[in-house]
Amino acid sequence: MNEFNKIEFRKSLIDWYLEEKRNLPWRETSDPYKIWVSEIMLQQTRVDTVIPYYNRFIEAFPTIEDLANADEEKLLKQWEGLGYYSRVRNLQAGVREVVETYNSVVPSTRDEISTLKGVGPYTAGAILSIAYGRPEHAVDGNVMRVLSRVLLIKEDIAKPKTRKTFEHAVSEIIDPLDPSSFNQGLMELGATICTPTSPKCLLCPVRENCAAFYAGEQNDLPIKTKNKKTKAQHYDVYIAQNDRKQFLMEKRLETGLLANMWQFPMVEQIIKDEETVPLLQSRYGLHFTKEMDLGSFKHVFSHLTWEMNSFSGHGVETSVPETCKWLTIEEIKEVPMPVPMLKIWQAYMERGK
DNA sequence: AACACGGGGCA
DNA sequence: TGCCCAGTGTT
């Protein structure tokens, strides 16, 4: 292939982007706060998944002050099902910092915006380029895949160091006149044309500028080493109802997996059935009488899987720990729960009390 | 550098 | 199943 022609590449990419871009809710605003929210939601999460969450979230928290003042439980409930829940806690921390320190104006330099909680190198560049039109790199998985092909970069994109190679590359070729369309065009291309498997090169606007296409290597890029396998954890989960038609629930620790979310009493899986009652007694101060088997569930997280058996029955409270509460059905609807618990709760409700 | 951190969609 | 997704924070 000829020398890489960045002028031609920019024009082809941006012309295509402006013509073919999808209509997405966060593309109808230039409010840096809303762009910020969208970028956080989009981390490791597909566009189609994000759309309804974004609309609901902006409706609930239309301004940066609304989010700064929100109650954490309400925030988590909005985020329920999206995953990576620390994102929303960090987002609120960042937003509060902007309200307090920057007079509610999202900073427009990389140095300042990068100090905000939850704003890493990608998100900083995305907000700066999209909301402020600054020529800053925004390197995500799409950009690494697209440019590994276009520029025939054969570094392992699983390695942290490799991101810098792509940041330098973007800094070299980014369009100074429309960095927003350039960055979004790269990502849009990665999402719709230059896909991980079977890239649609015949539809690609920058096919003529693509070294991998020229070399016939588009299916061998990017280079990426494999992840390790996830470990399994085995739990029994108990839905315990008392005489006042309340259910015992527990708020998880404020750090770690599913921090601050609510779950039903859950213990490491029991080998001998007769150990159930004393364990629930000691762990939860709960006297439990098993009535129904709600079935088995497997839930896969990014780094581990939960294999769960679930049961319902009658519970008598003795001494409930600080982290636990008896909640009515209506109250349970207001509380943020991880998807595995939602599945078990749904199974219970479908069995008709 | 390696790992923790969710959940869904797709080959 | 395993991979991938508009990644960041912690260790």
Side-chain angles (χ1 to χ4, degrees):
Chain A
M1 182 170 94
N2 303 324
E3 188 80 349
F4 180 70
N5 185 334
K6 70 179 176 190
I7 303 294
E8 203 176 283
F9 178 80
R10 285 174 186 160
K11 178 163 172 46
S12 302
L13 178 68
I14 292 176
D15 285 352
W16 169 82
Y17 173 71
L18 294 175
E19 187 65 27
E20 302 289 340
K21 66 178 178 182
R22 294 166 289 179
N23 296 319
L24 302 173
W26 47 89
R27 288 182 174 159
E28 292 168 18
T29 181
S30 58
D31 181 348
Y33 159 67
K34 294 179 183 171
I35 306 289
W36 185 1
V37 169
S38 74
E39 290 302 338
I40 300 300
M41 286 189 171
L42 285 161
Q43 290 170 7
Q44 299 292 287
T45 312
R46 282 189 173 66
V47 163
D48 291 339
T49 306
V50 167
I51 292 172
Y53 282 91
Y54 173 84
N55 288 330
R56 205 170 42 140
F57 195 91
I58 293 300
E59 194 173 337
F61 313 110
T63 71
I64 196 165
E65 288 84 3
D66 293 323
L67 181 53
N69 295 329
D71 169 61
E72 198 208 53
E73 193 121 308
K74 195 178 156 196
L75 268 190
L76 277 175
K77 189 66 186 175
Q78 286 279 332
W79 212 267
E80 182 185 83
L82 251 192
Y84 286 151
Y85 299 96
S86 66
R87 287 185 292 176
V88 73
R89 260 189 301 277
N90 290 338
L91 172 61
Q92 187 182 40
V95 153
R96 285 178 169 166
E97 175 78 7
V98 170
V99 170
E100 288 160 20
T101 308
Y102 296 95
N103 193 27
S104 297
V105 179
V106 179
S108 58
T109 66
R110 186 175 284 271
D111 281 348
E112 286 181 315
I113 206 170
S114 297
T115 67
L116 302 173
K117 204 78 89 214
V119 178
Y122 163 75
T123 305
I127 298 173
L128 293 175
S129 60
I130 297 171
Y132 290 118
R134 306 255 173 175
E136 296 281 348
H137 59 73
V139 174
D140 70 340
N142 286 312
V143 172
M144 287 199 283
R145 182 173 58 258
V146 170
L147 290 186
S148 74
R149 288 170 176 161
V150 169
L151 302 174
L152 214 59
I153 295 172
K154 296 185 175 177
E155 291 177 55
D156 181 359
I157 67 167
K159 297 207 178 308
K161 203 176 80 178
T162 303
R163 199 195 66 238
K164 293 194 182 304
T165 301
F166 288 94
E167 290 175 350
H168 291 132
V170 172
S171 300
E172 283 293 315
I173 64 179
I174 192 169
D175 187 341
L177 297 180
D178 192 354
S180 169
S181 295
F182 183 89
N183 281 343
Q184 292 191 81
L186 237 29
M187 292 188 274
E188 189 87 351
L189 193 63
T192 61
I193 304 280
C194 196
T195 46
T197 58
S198 39
K200 305 171 184 62
C201 298
L202 296 181
L203 300 177
C204 180
V206 296
R207 185 179 61 231
E208 300 302 324
N209 305 285
C210 181
F213 181 72
Y214 185 80
E217 296 180 30
Q218 66 270 26
N219 291 311
D220 303 321
L221 290 166
I223 306 292
K224 187 174 189 190
T225 52
K226 319 248 185 251
N227 325 0
K228 299 193 297 190
K229 288 214 301 196
T230 61
K231 289 173 294 192
Q233 297 179 345
H234 303 264
Y235 291 104
D236 286 338
V237 179
Y238 299 93
I239 295 187
Q241 187 179 31
N242 67 15
D243 287 330
R244 293 180 295 174
K245 300 213 180 294
Q246 297 167 313
F247 300 85
L248 187 62
M249 293 198 76
E250 172 187 25
K251 190 176 183 178
R252 292 178 63 89
L253 299 176
E254 59 182 334
T255 57
L257 184 65
L258 304 170
N260 283 344
M261 303 200 69
W262 290 77
Q263 63 185 18
F264 298 102
M266 181 167 126
V267 298
E268 296 72 36
Q269 224 164 74
I270 311 229
I271 309 300
K272 305 187 190 66
D273 205 41
E274 55 273 22
E275 292 174 6
T276 299
V277 169
L279 187 53
L280 287 174
Q281 182 67 250
S282 63
R283 189 82 63 86
Y284 292 98
L286 171 73
H287 185 76
F288 182 75
T289 312
K290 188 185 293 186
E291 289 165 358
M292 207 183 319
D293 189 333
L294 295 172
S296 298
F297 299 83
K298 181 151 89 170
H299 189 83
V300 180
F301 296 94
S302 47
H303 56 305
L304 56 92
T305 74
W306 280 2
E307 295 183 21
M308 302 170 293
N309 297 321
S310 59
F311 310 93
S312 63
H314 185 252
V316 177
E317 55 198 293
T318 51
S319 63
V320 177
E322 276 294 317
T323 55
C324 294
K325 253 175 140 173
W326 289 93
L327 300 176
T328 64
I329 289 182
E330 293 305 312
E331 287 168 332
I332 288 174
K333 289 178 184 163
E334 302 301 315
V335 127
M337 269 194 274
V339 166
M341 288 297 147
L342 289 170
K343 288 180 189 166
I344 292 173
W345 182 237
Q346 185 185 353
Y348 174 77
M349 296 300 278
E350 280 172 3
R351 293 255 181 145
K353 81 168 193 291

